Every structure is written in structure tokens, then in C-alpha cells.
Amino acid sequence: MSSIQLYAELLVHIRAVAFYGALHTEHNHETNIELSADNEWITVRHEGQTASIRLPTTVGGGGNAALTLPAAPSKDITLRLQLEETSPGLLQFGNQQSGNVEPWTAKSLGKETSLYCRDCGQSLLGQGRVQAWKDLPSENWVEMMEFWHCHKPATEHQHANGDAASRKGYSASNKLRASMGTGFVNTSHFLLAPADCLGIEAQKLEKWISSCILAYVENESIRYFHMQPEPSSRQVTSLLLWVFTPDISFSSSVRAGNRQDPTRAMKVMWQIRPHSADQDKQLNFRYEDMFLPASVVSDIKQALLDSQYLLPASSRTFKEWSVGLLPRFTGDDT
């Protein structure tokens, strides 16, 4: 296995690809970096070793072009490759959607949908139990209704009657209830009638968490999160997350699982912190609390630790923060 580590990340806003290479010794006059003829692959040769990665997007200067190395010898190579836009979709992530791809929506589910517990495999919903699926409303729907209506449509104004809200079918005093044969769904919840229930079929956990976080980023402009175990848990650590870049495309020469680069992800800064009521009070109000099962918090922590090996050593920390990558759902996942 080559000791050369390569990493590339698409920088959409400045129309470039940031390329990083880590060598076991300083580069010399025999070290070679070459861009393939199709402008999609980059290869580094150094002291008899070779490593290649597929770039997140097409760059200019192909035709097996040799790229210029930095003048000063170093074990770390950093290059900025300019994009060559040959079609309107170049800066998009392949054929994927540009927004937050949700793992499941009402349109993607049908009569054949079944749900299982991720931990034990127990069936919770059998095929054919739910005949129709509907999307759950936004968490802010009650507040938004104040902007849309002053009274229930097609009824008389009841401004003077303080009890009017209780008669609104869409007010905060009413609850959304699932009816038998109909299921409601959003990124993090399934609402089902008890009579229909017998898990959720396991999607990749990190992608599901990414989708939940991205919903906050897009809908409420929140970038800081306190991911902590549920109150009943005895786990003593929690995670602070700062969504630094919600949407990136990267490639790395470090193989992990069945990842096929380029990979869509979000870049996050993160910290492990003691979890206690007194410690939590010290956090300022910019952090959004996310209460999750202790096993999920532990899995996300491990995923962030593992993702650091994909990054160049010099890019794994930023001030007091650790840097990590969480993969995102793509259209191929749904």
C-alpha cells in the first residue's frame, strides 16, 4: 500500500479544487503530479510509490498535464486547481440534487413500505398496513399560521373571543393525529396509528443525522448544535458541532468501506465535552440541543474520529476544534 495520502475538495464559491498531498519524505525533482487526459484523475509519483484519486469535478489543464510543484521542498503539497466550466452543471454534484436530500418523503413511500428497529430488527410496520403517506408539517407551522390567517378560512372573525383558538383545527391547542391506514413522515419522525404498528429500516446513521442537522441549517439558519444523550442516559460525554460547510464534494486516497468518490458530505467542527446539567448551563443560547440515544451519540463521535483519517494531517484541527466529515444523502440513496 502506498504511503502517499491524497485529498481533494471542491470549493464552489471560488471555482476551484483544493488539492492536498502528504508524502513520507520531502518532494524532490523526481516527484511528479499529473492530471489525466479526461481532467478527472490526479496521480502523484514519489520515490517509487504512486497514488491516485478521482477529483470532485473536472478541472482545466488536462491531456496528461504535469502540474507544477511548490518551489520549497516539503512533505505536504498544497495546490489550487482552477475549474474548467464546460457545461452549466459542472458545479453541481453529478446528477444529484443540490439541496438537502431527505432519506424518505411521502412520495417515496407506498403500500409496500415496512419499518424495522435499527437495533433489534423487530418489525414495527408490515407491508400493506399503511395505504397512504403524507408529509408532516414544519415544526414551525403553528407560528406561521399567525401570518397566514387571523381566523379559520370560511368562518366568521372571532377576534374578541379568546376561546377562538381552541376551535381552530390548525391551532397549537390541537394535535395532529394519525388515522388508521395513513402514515405521516418527516426526516426524523414517523407518525402512525397504533392499530397499524406491529424501526425504521436502517439507513446509514451518519447520513440520517446529517439530514436532520441540515433541516435546521436550511429552515432556521442554525449552525451550532449540542448533541447529547437522552436525559435517562448515563453517558458522561456529549458533542458540540459547528456546521462549517454544509455541502462539499471531496475525494480521498484513504479507502473506507464502500465509499465511491467523489463523495458528498458536510464539513463540521466538533468537540467532545463533559455531559452534566451544570456544564450544559454554561453553553450560550446559540447551540441547538439535539437529544439522541446514547448509542447514536457514540456512533457519531466514532464516525467523526474515523473521518479525520480522510483529511490531511494539517487539516484535522482548527483552533480548539477538531475537523470532521459527515456524509450526506444523495438522490441514489432514496
Side-chain angles (χ1 to χ4, degrees):
M1 177 182 292
S2 174
S3 61
I4 302 173
Q5 181 182 352
L6 308 179
Y7 177 84
E9 183 176 316
L10 174 61
L11 307 176
V12 175
H13 296 297
I14 61 173
R15 305 176 58 76
V17 170
F19 171 79
Y20 304 90
L23 310 176
H24 58 284
T25 59
E26 293 181 345
H27 73 263
N28 52 50
H29 66 282
E30 295 182 351
T31 304
N32 174 262
I33 303 181
E34 187 177 270
L35 185 64
S36 65
D38 59 9
N39 297 359
E40 291 187 357
W41 291 82
I42 198 165
T43 301
V44 176
R45 298 179 178 87
H46 176 69
E47 296 185 348
Q49 296 190 0
T50 301
S52 301
I53 59 171
R54 184 181 181 184
L55 295 172
T57 190
T58 306
V59 299
N64 290 324
L67 302 177
T68 303
L69 287 164
S74 173
K75 294 182 181 180
D76 297 321
I77 300 172
T78 303
L79 300 175
R80 197 59 68 82
L81 309 176
Q82 206 62 37
L83 298 185
E84 182 182 64
E85 186 165 5
T86 57
S87 65
L90 180 65
L91 299 183
Q92 297 178 358
F93 299 94
N95 297 322
Q96 308 300 337
Q97 302 173 30
S98 59
N100 178 22
V101 178
E102 297 184 355
W104 39 67
T105 62
K107 289 183 178 180
S108 67
L109 304 178
K111 298 178 181 179
E112 72 285 353
T113 297
S114 57
L115 305 179
Y116 300 86
C117 175
R118 174 178 177 267
D119 289 331
C120 68
Q122 174 66 40
S123 175
L124 300 183
L125 180 71
Q127 293 185 1
R129 301 293 297 183
V130 171
Q131 300 296 307
W133 290 93
K134 297 181 180 180
D135 289 313
L136 280 165
S138 165
E139 294 180 1
N140 301 319
W141 69 273
V142 173
E143 290 85 353
M144 295 304 297
M145 286 302 293
E146 300 302 323
F147 294 100
W148 298 335
H149 300 290
C150 66
H151 63 286
K152 189 174 180 178
T155 63
E156 297 181 1
H157 282 67
Q158 311 241 355
H159 293 293
N161 190 341
D163 192 43
S166 64
R167 291 193 291 272
K168 292 181 180 179
Y170 47 78
S171 73
S173 59
N174 287 272
K175 293 183 178 180
L176 181 64
R177 293 181 175 86
S179 57
M180 189 172 176
T182 300
F184 292 87
V185 60
N186 66 9
T187 304
S188 55
H189 296 89
F190 282 90
L191 179 61
L192 304 167
D196 290 332
C197 295
L198 288 171
I200 300 176
E201 187 172 342
Q203 288 274 8
K204 191 172 178 64
L205 178 63
E206 304 96 278
K207 291 185 177 182
W208 178 74
I209 293 296
S210 293
S211 186
C212 293
I213 290 174
L214 288 165
Y216 281 106
V217 173
E218 295 183 356
N219 298 332
E220 302 185 35
S221 299
I222 296 172
R223 294 268 184 142
Y224 294 87
F225 298 87
H226 182 202
M227 187 179 293
Q228 52 192 304
E230 294 170 332
S232 59
S233 171
R234 296 182 179 179
Q235 185 166 313
V236 295
T237 59
S238 60
L239 295 174
L240 295 183
L241 300 182
W242 168 20
V243 181
F244 189 74
T245 308
D247 206 356
I248 68 167
S249 179
F250 76 88
S251 300
S252 175
S253 61
V254 178
R255 309 319 310 167
N258 57 356
R259 191 186 80 247
Q260 296 292 324
D261 288 334
T263 298
R264 192 179 185 191
M266 66 178 183
K267 180 178 284 187
V268 298
M269 310 298 176
W270 61 280
Q271 296 177 8
I272 300 174
R273 69 187 306 276
H275 174 54
S276 67
D278 292 337
Q279 289 281 348
D280 294 345
K281 290 178 182 178
Q282 298 176 13
L283 290 178
N284 59 41
F285 292 107
R286 69 176 175 175
Y287 285 92
E288 179 72 20
D289 288 325
M290 292 186 69
F291 291 98
L292 298 166
S295 61
V296 173
V297 177
S298 295
D299 288 347
I300 293 301
K301 179 177 70 174
Q302 189 59 51
L304 289 168
L305 286 168
D306 293 342
S307 74
Q308 289 196 298
Y309 293 102
L310 304 176
L311 298 166
S314 58
S315 302
R316 294 173 185 173
T317 58
F318 177 74
K319 297 182 178 179
E320 70 274 20
W321 296 87
S322 297
V323 182
L325 302 169
L326 287 177
R328 292 183 49 153
F329 282 116
T330 67
D332 292 336
D333 295 314
T334 58

